Structures are given as structure tokens and as C-alpha cells.
Amino acid sequence: MNEIPITLYIHFPWCVQKCPYCDFNSHPIRGSIPEEQYCDVLLLDLEEDAQWLFGRTFQSVFFGGGTPSLISGEGIASFLERLRQKVPLARDAEITLEANPGVVDAEHFSRYGEAGINRLSLGVQSFRDEQLEKIGRIHSADEAESAFHLAREAGFRNINIDLMFGLPGDSLEGSLSDLKRAIELQPEHISWYQLTIEPNTLFYQQPPQLPEDDRVWSIQQAGQELLAKAGYRQYEISAYAREGFTCHHNLNYWTFGDYIGIGAGAHSKVTRQEGMEIKRYVKPRHPKQYLDPDRKRPAVNRLKRDDIILEYMMNILRLKQGFTCNEFESRTGLPFSVLTGQLEKAERKKLIQQQGRWFFPTLQGEQFLNDLLQIFTP
């Protein structure tokens, strides 16, 4: 059995303000960020989790949030230096940092690059000021474009731009104008995804008027054509990349690889390949709880067979390429026969198709992914 790759996720829970659509574990700043203390606790957290590495090397590192770019360049540099002393990182590890265009400057970017960050993800969301205001973003369209140029000047040659479509009152022309402006900047990667209303958000309590499903589908199809013509290959539902610039960290999630998460609310999924046990655990969500020196270690839960099947499908069916029998068995430890009945049902409904040894969603399966996943839900 091939070794399952493992990656590291680092969560910074603070942001300037909470966006009304955001359901991530983020907390508006109250006073100053305890940067040094938080980084110290992150490293202690990692030392405790090192038992789950089982001799493996981290293939990628991802700083997510919240807004990691609120942390100083010096703080990131010090953290990464100490991180390398504690755990093995692949020599060519992809190290990504999410940045909010409203809280970065040239000095930040230069210091991040010197520290070892080699991929930036800019949370632009829209290049229209009126839409940025509607979704509660703190930057302007011009600031977003300026942040991209500053990153280029700082030497970054692997940049992702995050964009949303289906925004309040959105039109086909408006959504495509965002996409065209992003393409003009020529980033290596574009994450283009639909705004959805999630529980525990302000938008859930006070829903905005979003475009109807048919308009959203038209926007998505037109945008995919535009991206393809510009040389961006769609490899996942919302991810488009130029040749050689797929996101290694996210691909590990989608192919059911392992990951250790440190930081407030971070999740981990680890596999002991001897005996093929897959386990999950979650860190305390609130920063105060996470920083408490007396906090207890999280409970570790072993996944049951049905949970493994559903989680595998929830991830792998996001990929355009799909999966093979061997890949399913090597990542789950289950025989492919456990899927036979469900796959046949999905094929009858024209939600999944098979070509050679590959199984992947049809266009209808992509459009109605929740219906497809329902087939694999216990």
C-alpha cells in the first residue's frame, strides 16, 4: 500500500471584522492580537500532534483563517524557522498564506517571501466596490489589484485569487466582469465559487436577495468557458489553474489524504496504515479556550465504515478527474465492492459515469452534487 501523504494546516482565528457570509472560525479583533503567545501555543500543539506523523514528512503547509496576514512578517518568519526545527517538511513543500488585500503592504509581502511562503491566496471576492460593500469586505477593488501587484513585485510567482459569483442581485455581466479583471492580472490560480448561505452567519439571519438558480448556472457555465479560453484548466468544482499550478494542499484534502490541523478550531484527519484506522479530532474553537494552558487534549474519534465512504465521496467527487478502484481502496482500506450498489444507482441517475477505470461526476452530477452525495449517505 502506498504511503498516504500528510499536510499541515495552521489556523489564525482573528480578522478585522466578520463578513456576513463567513461560517469559518473567525473572531473580530478586540484590542491587540497575542501574536507571540499564539505562535508559541501552535508549536506546543504541533509537538503533541507529532505522534500522528508516523514517520511521514509534511508535503505542504497552509496558513488559513481568519486573516493570517494580520500576523507580522517577523512573526511568520520566526514561526516557520521554529517549525522546521520540530517537524520534517518536504524540500519542495508548497507553503501558502491567505491574505486580505485590505491588511497587507509591500513590506509584509517581502518578509513573507523571505520567511519561506511561496504561494499567496488573495481573498478578493469581487472587483466591484458596490458588491464588496454588500458582502462586508473591508477593501476596495483598487486595493485588491494593488495587493496583487505588490505581491508580484515582492517576487511571488504562485498567486491565487479568490472570487465569488452569485452575489446579491448579481447579473451575468457583473460576475463575468469580475472574472475578466482577475484574468487580466494573470494569476497562476483562480478559485471561483458560488456564494452560498450557511447557518450561523449574518446572511442566514438576514438573507440577501440572491440570483435564481438558473441564472447562477448560466453564470457558472459562461465563466467556465471564459476561464478555459484564458488557459485555466478546471480541476475541481471551484478551482482553475494554469499548467503546473494546481494547489497541492487542497488536492490532498480532495484525494482523501491526511492532515494535521493546529490552531483554534483546526481539524485533523490521520490514518494509521497498519490496520488502516482513520481518526479525526478537533481543537478548541475559541482563541481563549485554545490559549488556556489547562485545556484538555481533544477527543480522537475513529471513523466507521459508512463515515469513511461518505467522507471520501464528499471530497473526491469535487475533482473533475474522479477516482479509480485502486485509489479508493488505498485511501480508505475498504474493498471496492462496498461501493458497487451505490455506483450503479448513481450511474442509472446519470450522475456518475465510468470511462475505463475512472469514475467521475457527469455534468448533471456536478450541477446536483448534493443529490449525488445523498446516494452515499447512510
Side-chain angles (χ1 to χ4, degrees):
M1 182 180 292
N2 293 331
E3 183 178 274
I4 295 176
I6 192 165
T7 58
L8 177 64
Y9 175 78
I10 303 159
H11 191 76
F12 284 91
W14 293 281
C15 54
V16 176
Q17 67 180 31
K18 184 83 170 178
C19 295
Y21 59 84
C22 178
D23 70 334
F24 294 129
N25 184 35
S26 59
H27 303 264
I29 299 170
R30 299 288 184 264
S32 59
I33 295 174
E35 178 178 309
E36 186 174 348
Q37 180 190 8
Y38 192 75
C39 288
D40 287 344
V41 173
L42 284 173
L43 291 165
L44 289 173
D45 192 3
L46 183 58
E47 284 182 4
E48 294 172 339
D49 282 358
Q51 60 178 309
W52 301 111
L53 272 172
F54 302 127
R56 290 177 289 178
T57 296
F58 284 123
Q59 300 302 309
S60 66
V61 178
F62 195 104
F63 292 87
T67 307
S69 54
L70 288 170
I71 303 297
S72 69
E74 290 73 19
I76 294 291
S78 172
F79 177 84
L80 282 174
E81 182 179 353
R82 294 161 69 193
L83 175 72
R84 290 186 178 96
Q85 294 170 0
K86 292 182 180 293
V87 292
L89 296 187
R91 183 176 299 178
D92 59 347
E94 174 191 87
I95 305 179
T96 302
L97 183 135
E98 291 182 334
N100 186 327
V103 292
V104 291
D105 54 34
E107 184 179 351
H108 264 78
F109 283 143
S110 295
R111 195 69 184 98
Y112 292 151
E114 292 167 1
I117 302 295
N118 52 34
R119 184 176 184 270
L120 280 178
S121 182
L122 298 177
V124 174
Q125 313 310 354
S126 176
F127 284 103
R128 291 167 289 161
D129 287 336
E130 68 276 12
Q131 286 292 6
L132 290 170
E133 184 176 352
K134 287 179 184 178
I135 61 175
R137 302 297 286 172
I138 63 171
H139 64 271
S140 68
D142 288 344
E143 285 174 327
E145 191 165 321
S146 174
F148 182 88
H149 292 307
L150 287 173
R152 280 285 193 242
E153 290 167 11
F156 282 96
R157 295 296 174 262
N158 191 355
I159 302 176
N160 169 63
I161 289 180
D162 262 359
L163 284 178
M164 293 194 294
F165 66 91
L167 300 177
D170 221 347
S171 64
L172 174 63
E173 295 75 16
S175 283
L176 293 188
S177 72
D178 279 343
L179 208 46
K180 289 174 182 175
R181 192 162 175 185
I183 290 170
E184 286 173 1
L185 293 173
Q186 298 184 30
E188 286 68 34
H189 192 285
I190 295 176
S191 298
W192 192 58
Y193 54 95
Q194 180 184 350
L195 169 63
T196 55
I197 306 300
E198 303 291 347
N200 301 316
T201 64
L202 181 61
F203 272 177
Y204 187 79
Q205 300 167 17
Q206 303 171 23
Q209 189 66 43
L210 299 183
E212 304 222 347
D213 289 346
D214 288 346
R215 181 186 297 179
V216 170
W217 182 240
S218 297
I219 291 171
Q220 184 172 335
Q221 288 182 305
Q224 288 170 343
E225 291 177 10
L226 186 63
L227 285 159
K229 288 179 181 177
Y232 292 91
R233 180 180 68 85
Q234 183 184 15
Y235 65 100
E236 187 266 346
I237 286 177
S238 58
Y240 304 78
R242 292 193 159 166
E243 189 65 34
F245 289 99
T246 55
C247 179
H248 299 166
H249 189 87
N250 287 341
L251 271 173
N252 185 57
Y253 291 144
W254 298 324
T255 54
F256 212 51
D258 282 353
Y259 49 91
I260 286 176
I262 57 174
H267 291 240
S268 299
K269 176 230 166 203
V270 290
T271 305
R272 184 190 291 275
Q273 289 184 263
E274 182 182 341
M276 207 58 193
E277 287 186 333
I278 300 177
K279 298 183 177 182
R280 281 197 175 280
Y281 56 98
V282 185
K283 304 299 169 61
R285 284 181 58 83
H286 199 279
K288 286 184 179 179
Q289 293 176 315
Y290 182 76
L291 292 170
D292 185 346
D294 296 323
R295 65 183 171 91
K296 295 180 180 179
R297 292 291 298 158
V300 178
N301 300 310
R302 180 180 177 180
L303 294 186
K304 298 178 181 178
R305 190 194 78 162
D306 287 346
D307 296 327
I308 292 173
I309 292 172
L310 179 59
E311 287 200 22
Y312 182 85
M313 290 300 169
M314 287 177 65
N315 284 283
I316 203 71
L317 291 178
R318 295 182 64 89
L319 291 177
K320 297 287 286 186
Q321 70 184 38
F323 66 97
T324 66
C325 165
N326 289 341
E327 288 178 341
F328 173 80
E329 292 182 342
S330 68
R331 291 298 166 95
T332 66
L334 299 173
F336 192 70
S337 58
V338 301
L339 285 183
T340 304
Q342 293 157 310
L343 285 175
E344 289 176 352
K345 183 176 181 180
E347 287 188 83
R348 286 197 303 271
K349 291 178 173 288
K350 302 188 185 306
L351 298 174
I352 271 186
Q353 59 186 316
Q354 181 180 4
Q355 286 188 4
R357 60 194 184 96
W358 290 91
F359 295 85
F360 54 92
T362 62
L363 188 61
Q364 184 176 333
E366 292 178 17
Q367 185 178 3
F368 300 102
L369 184 59
N370 287 339
D371 293 342
L372 173 55
L373 292 175
Q374 193 65 37
I375 294 172
F376 300 96
T377 302

